Amino acid sequence: MRSLRNRLLILLLVAVIGCEQTPQHTFTNELLLPMTPVKDQGKSELCWAYAMLATIETEHLLRGDSVNLSPQYIGRMLKNYSLSTSHSSLATQSRERAMGQTALNLLQRYGVVGFDVMPDDATDDLPTPKNVFLLGAKYTPLEFAHSVCAPDEYISLTSFPDSPYYKKIDVPIPDNWEHNRLLNVPLATLRKHVNRALKKRHPVCWESRGHAMAIVGVARDERHRSYYVMKNSWGTDQPYDGLVYMPMKMAWRDVVAIYMTREAYSGK
């Protein structure tokens, strides 16, 4: 079950996001990357899967390739994985909560399918697709996933000042029940890499202790204050059709993990 701390953090995030999205602000997009339609995680806790797949989708759109992936399939595979390993008690305890790295791991273990065959409202009685059909070709979910995201294509970053920098660390939060190790860098360095990635037209998966979204742009308000434009996963029945304009300062207050392609990390 989600801890009281995490409940308070996500409530704070919702409150601040709601406050910042009021019509009294006029936003000017300085950069807005292409994206697939905003999805809706509903009552699930799969924001980490939605955010990570949204990042992968935008990367493909920028390469001239269109893919629309199913976070619910990743959620289904999480259940299969947790029941078949020693992680079952931890996964059950935290329900569907995990990290963006978990989405990448599950994608490499079990593959992925298209959103059209397993959409947001897919129920447990919907059979898990065994094949993916694309442009007249037939793939297994794993074959399709490897064509969508190569192993080690993405780099996972964090910033914990109490741990050694420029080394991989086991991020000490409950959502990291897999004990994934992320590269630990100073916060200023992490911010520099994110801003440079966006400038080079790469999306970034952003994760806090309470929520995860994909950063798909940069904007300013009427007072010239800076914002990240984030693709949320709470549906389009939200201000700005489901996008979130988050003050840059807020984005760095509680950041836990950042994911981007290695190409984006190197500034290409």
Side-chain angles (χ1 to χ4, degrees), residues 44-62:
S44 78
E45 296 183 282
L46 297 173
C47 62
W48 49 275
Y50 278 83
M52 193 67 247
L53 294 188
T55 304
I56 294 172
E57 290 166 353
T58 288
E59 271 288 349
H60 275 266
L61 288 172
L62 289 162

Side-chain angles (χ1 to χ4, degrees), residues 82-130:
S82 63
L83 291 173
S84 64
T85 69
S86 60
H87 295 306
S88 58
S89 61
L90 288 173
T92 300
Q93 181 182 357
S94 58
R95 293 183 287 183
E96 298 170 318
R97 292 188 62 84
M99 297 184 70
Q101 184 63 49
T102 305
L104 293 172
N105 295 345
L106 291 170
L107 188 146
Q108 294 300 327
R109 290 187 192 111
Y110 301 107
V112 72
V113 302
F115 181 76
D116 57 336
V117 296
M118 188 166 279
D120 291 333
D121 58 357
T123 55
D124 289 341
D125 59 352
L126 179 69
T128 302
K130 302 298 182 183

Side-chain angles (χ1 to χ4, degrees), residues 181-192:
R181 298 177 66 81
L182 282 67
L183 181 63
N184 190 36
V185 298
L187 188 62
T189 301
L190 187 59
R191 183 165 52 241
K192 181 186 74 174

Side-chain angles (χ1 to χ4, degrees), residues 16 24 28 32 52 98 109-110 116 125 158 161 163 183 210 243:
V16 174
Q24 64 184 338
T28 300
L32 187 61
M52 193 67 247
R109 290 187 192 111
Y110 301 107
D116 57 336
D125 59 352
T158 190
S163 298
L183 181 63
L243 297 180

Side-chain angles (χ1 to χ4, degrees), residues 53 56 60 63 65 67 69-70 73-74 77 103-114 131-132 134 139-154:
L53 294 188
I56 294 172
H60 275 266
R63 300 170 190 172
D65 179 27
V67 294
L69 307 173
S70 171
Y73 179 87
I74 297 296
M77 294 305 103
L104 293 172
N105 295 345
L106 291 170
L107 188 146
Q108 294 300 327
R109 290 187 192 111
Y110 301 107
V112 72
V113 302
N131 295 291
V132 176
L134 184 66
Y139 305 89
T140 66
L142 192 57
E143 290 170 338
F144 178 57
H146 288 169
S147 71
V148 167
C149 182
D152 298 324
E153 181 176 345
Y154 281 79

